[in-house]
Amino acid sequence: MTVDFEFKRAPAWKVATFAWKGPWKDARIRTEFEKVAKWARGKGFKTGKWIFIGSGERRFRVAIEIKGKGRGEGSIHLRTIPASRVASIVFDPDEVSPRVAYHGMTDWLRWRRKYKEIRGTGMYREVYNGNPWTDAKASAHTEVQVVVR
């Protein structure tokens, strides 16, 4: 498998989201994704990309792209993730360690800043084409994106 970094334009996504603050736990992330997916199915939304957004301040957000009109409910909010320029890497976590992918992305972006190709970076986000826990194709096509300025 070839793994490479690239700059590209990420589209805008209308998403149903749930956010929380606390320690990173894979089980919590999965639970929150499933809660948002169940809510979207119950409201009759067609779903698309699954997006996990984390920041260094122990704040996390799960988001599932939805198609259609509606309103959020309770702790689930509807938002639009704006279109933006991102640095991207696509890899299979079974073949390439996520630590290697994240470390490589961080170093690659550091050099892009040094050579003044970019001014700065935003938060990291993982983008999947479906549920990465139940769909092997979604997991094998993990995309890490970093918003760049």
Side-chain angles (χ1 to χ4, degrees):
M1 168 178 223
T2 301
V3 178
D4 199 7
F5 307 104
E6 68 175 342
F7 289 116
K8 69 179 196 177
R9 187 89 178 147
W13 291 303
K14 181 179 176 187
V15 295
T17 69
F18 177 78
W20 74 96
K21 187 174 182 180
W24 186 94
K25 290 184 183 173
D26 190 54
R28 172 92 192 254
I29 295 166
R30 181 178 184 171
T31 300
E32 302 306 348
F33 261 127
E34 289 170 352
K35 183 184 351 178
V36 174
K38 181 179 177 183
W39 176 86
R41 277 192 308 272
K43 296 294 181 184
F45 288 113
K46 290 183 180 181
T47 60
K49 303 280 188 186
W50 287 41
I51 305 160
F52 172 70
I53 304 167
S55 70
E57 293 119 25
R58 298 168 45 124
R59 293 176 191 232
F60 305 100
R61 180 180 304 273
V62 294
I64 297 178
E65 179 185 19
I66 58 169
K67 296 168 177 136
K69 292 185 178 186
R71 297 184 67 140
E73 183 176 85
S75 59
I76 297 176
H77 303 281
L78 297 187
R79 302 231 162 105
T80 299
I81 297 174
S84 56
R85 182 176 182 229
V86 297
S88 172
I89 179 175
V90 178
F91 66 98
D92 181 350
D94 291 333
E95 294 185 25
V96 177
S97 169
R99 288 182 190 172
V100 171
Y102 274 92
H103 181 76
M105 175 73 83
T106 302
D107 282 352
W108 185 72
L109 289 170
R110 185 177 305 131
W111 283 99
R112 301 293 67 84
R113 273 194 306 272
K114 182 177 180 177
Y115 291 130
K116 307 222 186 282
E117 292 177 29
I118 60 173
R119 290 187 323 228
T121 60
M123 293 191 318
Y124 283 70
R125 59 189 180 202
E126 294 178 10
V127 181
Y128 304 95
N129 291 325
N131 185 339
W133 289 277
T134 61
D135 183 0
K137 281 186 177 180
S139 177
H141 191 265
T142 300
E143 180 176 7
V144 175
Q145 296 180 349
V146 181
V147 177
V148 294
R149 297 179 297 282

